[in-house]
Amino acid sequence: MPIYEYVCSDCDVKFELLRPLSQFAEAASCPHCRQSAERVLSNFACFSRDESGVSSMIGGNPCASCGADSCDTCAM
Ligand SMILES: [Zn+2]
């Protein structure tokens, strides 16, 4: 299940949520103030593995569009 990162604009707190892809666009509530937080894409890390077994990180892309064939994070 992918991990999504959120940031609360009220208290400037970042937190991560593990949630199914089908819920990624839903609002998450800040653990501190309970206001809705915005999803952060910039720090999203996605790992892929080539045929030699080496894992590499693809930064900056949400897994939904990373295009990796064997991305462990993308695997549902
Ligand atoms: Zn907050």
Side-chain angles (χ1 to χ4, degrees), residues 1-2 7-9 12 17 19 23 26 29 33 35 42 44 46-47 49 54 56 63 65 67 71 75-76:
M1 208 180 288
V7 63
C8 173
S9 55
D12 210 27
L17 278 183
R19 50 176 21 185
Q23 291 176 15
E26 292 179 18
S29 53
C33 67
Q35 297 298 309
S42 57
F44 205 101
C46 182
F47 291 88
R49 189 171 296 148
V54 177
S56 56
C63 271
S65 59
C71 174
M76 296 295 286

Side-chain angles (χ1 to χ4, degrees), residues 14-40:
K14 270 189 180 178
F15 58 99
E16 292 173 340
L17 278 183
L18 204 64
R19 50 176 21 185
L21 193 62
S22 57
Q23 291 176 15
F24 86 101
E26 292 179 18
S29 53
C30 170
H32 296 270
C33 67
R34 302 293 169 191
Q35 297 298 309
S36 62
E38 291 182 18
R39 189 161 53 101
V40 179

